[in-house]
Amino acid sequence: MIYFLCFILFSIGIYGVLVKRNIIKLIISTMILNYAVYILLVLMGFRWQGQAPVFAADQGIGFMVDPLPQSMVMVSMIVGLAVTALLVAVAMRLYQEFKTFDLKAIIKTKIKNKPETDDNA
Amino acid sequence: MIMLDIQQIIPLFILIPLLGVFLLALLARKKNFNADLILFIIVFGLLLLSGYLFTFKTKSLLYVYCLAGWQLPEAITFIVDGLAAFFLLSVYLITFCIMVYSLRYIDNWKGKWKFYALFLLLLTGANGVIISGDLFTLYLFMEVTAIASYALFVFSLEAKALAFGFKYMIKGVMASALIFLGIVVCYCFTSTLALADIANQLYLRQHIVSDPAMGCVVLFIQALFFLGLLLKSGIVPFNSWVSDINQAALAPGKAMLLAVIVPVLGIYPFLRIYFNIIGPNDQSLAIVRMFALAAMIGSMFWLYKTKSNNQGIAYHLINEFGLVILAMATNTPWAIFGGFLQLLNAQITAALVICNAGLIDYQAYPKQFSGQLKYSFKSRPIAFFNTIFSKLAFISFPPFLGFWSKLIIIVAVWKAGYQVSALGAFLCVCLAVILFIKQQRFLALNSRNRQPDLKLKKIKFSLAVSLSLMLGLCLGLNLLLAADYKEIFLKPAIETILSTTKYSKAVFKAENEK
């Protein structure tokens, strides 16, 4: 059941990326998309009543949780954070330039109607 | 003469460009700081190193480097085999030319060292993707490459670059999420991340244990990877960002993205995962061939519709990559040989034609020139010759390499018994050339006296040298058709593709022999 919820979250993210035109909503959709995969990965490494993967005298290897998915999620979250920061930075520049968050309107009306011989100095 | 140990060379492909990024960032504010020199030394050094890999060849070109002395399958590994060595060399041949071009081109924009730092970060990621021996490292380097490419795309900070760059980033994030999901499912199924070990596990479950869930899970993993890689490589129907790049990014940036990053992030992982890890079968090869043909037909449709010079280049390039995939999916030595030649030709001609088209933006800066300039032989002989020959090389006019590679592919596909595919490829190639010529002629006619008052700068020496180098490569790479050169540079890559999942055994053997 819980794996199915991850799938639903992933689908919501995909829906947002494909359908939404607002820049902020698009960024949030990509975050939902990424978090769905992170949660799935954490669930894969989960073990009921498991113990930390640290060797000790009273600890059997069979009860340890798998540490690899956890470290993978940590690294992926950092990468995801870097990408999100870049997305937000570009979104801010876009808003400064066009005073709107609607990506479709920016591309359809503002960029395509811009005169071709603009001075960009 | 000092001979470097091959195992010590492998991590240098990541360390050297990364060191360059730090050096550029540290020394940027110093007076008399020469960023050009650092970039030149690093890229030239890596070009020599990638060529040096081929001189080491003993029985088979396969070297494994395990990080921190761990053993496979637990270790993080970097692997250089025939396929990786070919991609490294092709990447550095093209990167070197683009780097020479960007030395003076980027003078027009602020923050030159930042562009160079991103350029080297892009190379770090590309090298990492090529040599990484496990899925998660592959994913991480893909992300490094992607982040650098996003920043390169929007580097000019012009409105168009920002808007199209944002679209490109969203598509990139979606592709990464799909690939990461594929890695998660793959890890759940095989409990390992090392590529060689995954191939081993999948083979065991398929042929020895006969796992009933095998077919569905492998199909799901394949679907996730291929969808992600398709988005990354911009092949039809996910082609919109490729034409966006050509409209918005700076010329050296878009040359890097289309000629280096699309093959490294799209075609290389496809070849590695499909042929060496999952292993092809007749049904899946037929589907890939059909898909490649569909991509070629789709790109022709877009080529027919567009009236923009930059978009025309992008769609023609997608057609070229479609032919590469068709050749690889034919899975015979001659078709794969043709496929590699075609890939090399597509990369170099794309870089050449994009850099040549970028000349006008450089000359007209800070104004924008709309349309295509007709250079006259008397006033600008270098630009005149380059424009003509780059377009001829791009449409694969003989004796340029593209003509022979296409001929080899079509004959090889026909001889392999796929006559319909061969005929389809032949028609697509011919039509794409006709449409491209028609579109270029249309632009040339339209551009007459459009901006007669526009003052153009002179073309700098490094720009002319770079374009001449690329043109020379387009002709010089015909040498690869000779048996001796084919044996050295292409045979190891062809053998890697044909070895399919035996790659796993070879990697474990090479690691034990260390």
Side-chain angles (χ1 to χ4, degrees):
Chain A
M1 178 63 189
I2 201 156
Y3 295 100
F4 187 67
L5 290 177
C6 283
F7 176 73
I8 290 174
L9 203 58
F10 191 81
S11 306
I12 291 169
I14 291 274
Y15 169 81
V17 169
L18 295 178
V19 173
K20 297 292 170 191
R21 291 287 164 259
N22 184 300
I23 289 172
I24 302 298
K25 286 179 185 170
L26 275 170
I27 294 173
I28 293 169
S29 301
T30 59
M31 288 166 75
I32 292 172
L33 199 65
N34 280 329
Y35 289 150
V37 187
Y38 300 156
I39 293 170
L40 182 69
L41 189 53
V42 169
L43 283 173
M44 294 297 178
F46 176 76
R47 184 184 288 269
W48 184 251
Q49 292 183 334
Q51 291 173 335
V54 181
F55 280 113
D58 58 337
Q59 189 149 337
I61 215 166
F63 298 105
M64 287 180 184
V65 293
D66 187 354
L68 199 62
Q70 294 173 17
S71 54
M72 278 164 71
V73 166
M74 289 284 281
V75 176
S76 310
M77 280 173 83
I78 294 162
V79 173
L81 191 70
V83 176
T84 308
L86 201 59
L87 277 169
V88 173
V90 174
M92 282 168 65
R93 291 295 295 230
L94 275 173
Y95 187 77
Q96 281 173 358
E97 187 88 25
F98 299 105
K99 304 288 174 219
T100 174
F101 279 123
D102 189 342
L103 191 62
K104 201 171 183 179
I106 290 171
I107 291 173
K108 287 270 176 198
T109 57
K110 307 219 167 166
I111 288 184
K112 292 200 171 160
N113 294 339
K114 235 180 170 184
E116 286 178 327
T117 50
D118 266 1
D119 192 337
N120 290 316
Chain B
M1 188 187 161
I2 303 166
M3 288 290 283
L4 288 170
D5 182 13
I6 191 81
Q7 255 78 28
Q8 289 163 358
I9 286 180
I10 298 171
L12 292 183
F13 282 102
I14 291 165
L15 291 176
I16 292 176
L18 209 53
L19 185 73
V21 177
F22 284 116
L23 270 179
L24 285 167
L26 277 175
L27 303 175
R29 288 174 195 197
K30 297 254 178 195
K31 281 183 182 174
N32 304 323
F33 165 63
N34 196 341
D36 295 350
L37 190 68
I38 291 181
L39 184 74
F40 185 87
I41 289 171
I42 287 174
V43 176
F44 188 62
L46 288 169
L47 172 65
L48 291 181
L49 270 186
S50 58
Y52 192 55
L53 289 173
F54 288 92
T55 61
F56 264 98
K57 197 189 162 197
T58 47
K59 259 198 304 190
S60 63
L61 204 160
L62 180 61
Y63 304 101
V64 181
Y65 176 86
C66 292
L67 221 65
W70 285 49
Q71 298 288 308
L72 263 173
E74 288 84 17
I76 292 174
T77 48
F78 296 130
I79 299 170
V80 171
D81 59 357
L83 187 64
F86 170 79
F87 266 85
L88 280 174
L89 189 63
S90 70
V91 161
Y92 278 105
L93 276 175
I94 296 151
T95 303
F96 181 73
C97 299
I98 297 171
M99 180 270 297
V100 175
Y101 181 86
S102 65
L103 291 178
R104 291 283 71 85
Y105 186 93
I106 215 71
D107 282 343
N108 283 340
W109 281 268
K110 282 179 188 171
K112 189 177 182 179
W113 72 269
K114 288 178 191 161
F115 183 87
Y116 290 171
L118 288 170
F119 194 93
L120 288 177
L121 197 62
L122 197 78
L123 273 185
T124 310
N127 290 344
V129 168
I130 293 170
I131 65 174
S132 62
D134 70 274
L135 266 183
F136 191 62
T137 318
L138 183 89
Y139 167 75
L140 282 185
F141 281 114
M142 270 185 160
E143 286 298 281
V144 171
T145 317
I147 291 172
S149 68
Y150 301 151
L152 269 183
F153 195 137
V154 297
F155 187 81
S156 64
L157 292 179
E158 286 168 8
K160 226 178 191 181
L162 286 169
F164 288 140
F166 189 84
K167 261 177 76 185
Y168 171 56
M169 287 160 84
I170 294 290
K171 280 173 189 162
V173 173
M174 204 162 101
S176 298
L178 287 167
I179 291 170
F180 193 46
L181 186 62
I183 293 170
V184 172
V185 178
C186 192
Y187 178 71
C188 293
F189 192 58
T190 59
S191 300
T192 180
L193 287 171
L195 290 174
D197 202 29
I198 292 171
N200 207 13
Q201 297 275 346
L202 291 179
Y203 182 82
L204 279 176
R205 289 189 180 209
Q206 201 170 16
H207 295 101
I208 295 168
V209 185
S210 300
D211 192 337
M214 171 85 189
C216 293
V217 177
V218 169
L219 204 66
F220 186 53
I221 295 169
Q222 262 177 307
L224 289 170
F225 275 124
F226 294 159
L227 215 56
L229 294 176
L230 275 176
L231 266 167
K232 289 255 181 215
S233 56
I235 289 175
V236 175
F238 304 105
N239 54 316
S240 66
W241 68 261
V242 177
S243 58
D244 291 346
I245 277 188
N246 254 356
Q247 289 183 74
L250 298 181
K254 67 186 171 195
M256 275 304 280
L257 293 177
L258 291 180
V260 175
I261 297 311
V262 168
V264 169
L265 287 192
I267 294 174
Y268 175 79
F270 165 74
L271 294 178
R272 179 65 80 203
I273 292 169
Y274 181 61
F275 283 95
N276 294 144
I277 309 304
I278 292 169
N281 57 43
D282 288 344
Q283 288 92 348
S284 63
L285 282 171
I287 292 169
V288 175
R289 276 195 303 275
M290 266 173 58
F291 172 78
L293 269 178
M296 289 173 77
I297 293 166
S299 67
M300 274 190 330
F301 169 75
W302 289 106
L303 195 57
Y304 174 74
K305 274 185 73 178
T306 186
K307 284 177 181 170
S308 146
N309 177 28
N310 288 326
Q311 284 188 345
I313 293 169
Y315 295 133
H316 193 273
L317 190 61
I318 293 168
N319 192 296
E320 302 267 294
F321 288 140
L323 192 62
V324 173
I325 294 173
L326 176 72
M328 297 300 178
T330 304
N331 207 21
T332 62
W334 272 100
I336 296 171
F337 170 59
F340 280 124
L341 288 181
Q342 170 68 12
L343 179 65
L344 203 54
N345 172 69
Q347 286 176 282
I348 291 172
T349 51
L352 174 63
V353 96
I354 289 166
C355 289
N356 189 66
L359 275 184
I360 189 63
D361 295 328
Y362 170 80
Q363 288 179 285
Y365 190 85
K367 297 271 182 187
Q368 279 187 351
F369 185 83
S370 51
Q372 191 189 49
L373 189 74
K374 288 179 89 181
Y375 289 108
S376 75
F377 171 68
K378 279 184 184 170
S379 60
R380 295 173 194 277
I382 298 171
F384 176 79
F385 274 116
N386 255 307
T387 306
I388 290 180
F389 284 111
S390 65
K391 297 265 165 77
L392 285 177
F394 197 56
I395 61 166
S396 309
F397 193 80
F400 288 103
L401 182 65
F403 176 76
W404 308 115
S405 64
K406 287 182 178 77
L407 193 67
I408 290 170
I409 290 172
I410 291 166
V411 171
V413 174
W414 183 280
K415 281 201 152 189
Y418 309 119
Q419 281 84 359
V420 178
S421 299
L423 205 64
F426 176 73
L427 287 174
C428 284
V429 166
C430 293
L431 275 172
V433 169
I434 292 165
L435 289 171
F436 187 71
I437 292 171
K438 181 177 166 267
Q439 185 240 9
Q440 296 293 308
R441 200 168 141 261
F442 166 82
L443 282 163
L445 288 173
N446 253 8
S447 64
R448 271 182 201 163
N449 301 323
R450 205 160 166 185
Q451 285 168 275
D453 56 332
L454 193 70
K455 283 183 183 171
L456 297 176
K457 280 187 225 161
K458 277 193 173 177
I459 297 169
K460 290 265 172 75
F461 179 70
S462 78
L463 297 174
V465 167
S466 153
L467 291 171
S468 310
L469 261 177
M470 284 190 256
L471 209 51
L473 273 177
C474 287
L475 279 171
L477 285 172
N478 278 327
L479 281 173
L480 288 172
L481 293 164
D484 290 349
Y485 292 99
K486 180 190 164 191
E487 187 80 16
I488 296 169
F489 295 106
L490 288 169
K491 202 180 166 198
I494 297 168
E495 280 174 354
T496 307
I497 297 283
L498 288 173
S499 71
T500 61
T501 47
K502 286 176 194 144
Y503 161 84
S504 150
K505 278 183 193 162
V507 168
F508 276 104
K509 198 177 156 197
E511 201 235 352
N512 291 331
E513 282 173 1
K514 257 195 320 179

